[in-house]
Every structure is written in structure tokens, then in C-alpha cells.
Amino acid sequence: DTGDAPKKQKRERGERGGTKKKKAKAGDEEEGAEKGDETEVEEKSKSRGVKRGTEAGRLDDEVLPYVKEVTLLARANEFEADEDRQLFVDNVWRELKMKKSEQLVRLITHKDGSAAVESLLPLSSSKQLYRICRGLKGAMARVIFNPYGSHVIEALFGFVPRLVNASMDELTKKGEDEDDEDDEGEDDEDKSALEPLEKMFQATCDELAGGW
């Protein structure tokens, strides 16, 4: 019996050691599973952020002073004549390349850019307002859930009645913001393929379906 005692003690120590190893292994597996869940949640969050447009737009540093100045001048609206006001808006459209959809989205989803675009809306022509609506087609998920872009969209909706009542000539008339080289043949295309607002609205609803 005395000789069996050391063997028994070794066996008990071995069992205790094995139990500790199993617990440690289970703990590592549980920790790994938690990290995996956190990674999955983070990836889903990132994916949802991209889908819902929570990422902010980026503007070049050299553009920002001009963008801020546009906001101040547009809000002040101290132009001597309507022609001066329209010339100002046309120049801004040309300088900021707002006819390009991707550039428009960058502006609207940027803190200072969104303020500039929103301040320009009351001063813009019906054609320019229509262009904003058309330029945002396919990018609404990036804009409407964006903290800056959502304000622009809300303000833009206020001009929908004006667009509904606009004539074909108002929506296709060539302005000073258009360069001949960049817009060759665009007017003819606009007249023959001017998309109705209700169709753009339906496309927006389809784009946002399931994203709320």
C-alpha cells in the first residue's frame, strides 16, 4: 500500500494538470471565438458604413479655401443684379467640376463642401438643380445616410416643385458653366433623353430598398 501511494499521487497530479490544460485550451478557444465575433461585427459595420454612406467625402486642401468662400458669398447673396448672381453660380459649377457625378458626391459628403452646395441651391437655375438630382442617381446610398449629405438632400427636396413646373427649355438651356469642349452634343442628348423626375425618384427608392 505504501508503494502505491506515490503512484496515486502522480496520477492525481497528472489528472489535475490535464484538467488545467483542457480549461486553458477551452479558454483560448473561447477568446478566439470572441475575437472572431468582434472581427465579424467590425467587418459588417464597415460594410454597412460603406453601403449607408457614412464615410465622409475628401477634398483637396487647395480647394477648401475656395469652397468656404463660396459658402460665405452665396449665403450673403449681395449681388447687384441677377446676371451677376447667375455668373457667380456658373463659375462655381465650372471651378468645382460639379457636373461630374463623383465630384458632386465628394462635395456633398464633405462638411464644407455640403455647406457650399446647400448655399448654392437657392441661387441655381432649374437646369443646375436638375443636374444635381441626376448626378446623385446611383449614389443616394452614399449621400442620404451621410451626416452632411442628408442636409443637402433635405434642402434639395424643397426645390422639387420648381423642377416639376420647369419647362423643357429651362432644363436644356446651355449656361455659362458649360464648356464647349466638355459639353459637345450634350444639349441634343438632354432634349431627347431628359429623364422625368418621377422616374428618378422611383430609381432612388429602388436603390435604397433594404438599406434602412
Side-chain angles (χ1 to χ4, degrees), residues 54-212:
T54 54
E55 76 281 7
R58 295 181 180 179
L59 296 177
D60 295 335
D61 291 339
E62 58 267 24
V63 175
L64 285 177
Y66 178 74
V67 169
K68 293 178 180 180
E69 184 181 5
V70 165
T71 304
L72 293 175
L73 293 174
R75 286 176 176 173
N77 194 14
E78 296 176 347
F79 302 97
E80 294 183 0
D82 291 342
E83 291 79 6
D84 297 330
R85 182 182 300 108
Q86 192 57 56
L87 182 60
F88 164 74
V89 177
D90 290 345
N91 286 335
V92 172
W93 267 77
R94 186 167 52 248
E95 289 295 325
L96 294 181
K97 298 178 171 52
M98 290 174 62
K99 286 179 60 181
K100 298 182 182 297
S101 179
E102 189 58 35
Q103 175 65 6
L104 181 62
V105 172
R106 283 197 199 100
L107 283 166
I108 289 177
T109 54
H110 185 277
K111 180 180 178 181
D112 296 312
S114 65
V117 174
E118 186 174 351
S119 66
L120 283 174
L121 294 180
L123 314 182
S124 298
S125 66
S126 296
K127 181 174 182 177
Q128 288 164 335
L129 293 172
Y130 176 85
R131 275 183 173 166
I132 292 176
C133 295
R134 188 176 61 184
L136 294 177
K137 185 179 177 181
M140 273 295 186
R142 290 177 57 189
V143 175
I144 203 167
F145 293 107
N146 181 276
Y148 309 121
S150 59
H151 290 289
V152 178
I153 297 301
E154 184 179 359
L156 185 60
F157 282 160
F159 294 92
V160 169
R162 177 175 157 189
L163 286 174
V164 170
N165 295 320
S167 66
M168 181 69 72
D169 288 339
E170 288 181 275
L171 297 180
T172 57
K173 182 180 179 181
K174 189 167 183 176
E176 294 296 328
D177 61 319
E178 302 176 68
D179 295 327
D180 292 334
E181 294 181 1
D182 296 335
D183 301 307
E184 187 176 352
E186 182 176 302
D187 281 2
D188 293 336
E189 182 182 352
D190 281 352
K191 290 177 182 178
S192 62
L194 199 64
E195 188 172 12
L197 287 174
E198 58 267 25
K199 200 169 182 180
M200 282 197 283
F201 180 75
Q202 182 60 55
T204 298
C205 292
D206 293 341
E207 182 186 347
L208 297 176
W212 298 93

Side-chain angles (χ1 to χ4, degrees), residues 12-81:
E12 289 176 352
R13 284 197 297 269
E15 289 175 354
R16 285 197 297 270
T19 302
K20 288 181 180 179
K21 288 181 180 179
K22 287 181 180 178
K23 287 183 178 180
K25 184 177 180 181
D28 291 341
E29 290 178 351
E30 185 176 351
E31 184 179 353
E34 289 178 355
K35 287 182 178 179
D37 291 340
E38 290 176 0
T39 302
E40 185 177 355
V41 170
E42 186 177 350
E43 288 178 353
K44 285 183 178 179
S45 178
K46 287 180 180 179
S47 175
R48 189 162 55 245
V50 172
K51 181 180 179 183
R52 294 193 173 187
T54 54
E55 76 281 7
R58 295 181 180 179
L59 296 177
D60 295 335
D61 291 339
E62 58 267 24
V63 175
L64 285 177
Y66 178 74
V67 169
K68 293 178 180 180
E69 184 181 5
V70 165
T71 304
L72 293 175
L73 293 174
R75 286 176 176 173
N77 194 14
E78 296 176 347
F79 302 97
E80 294 183 0

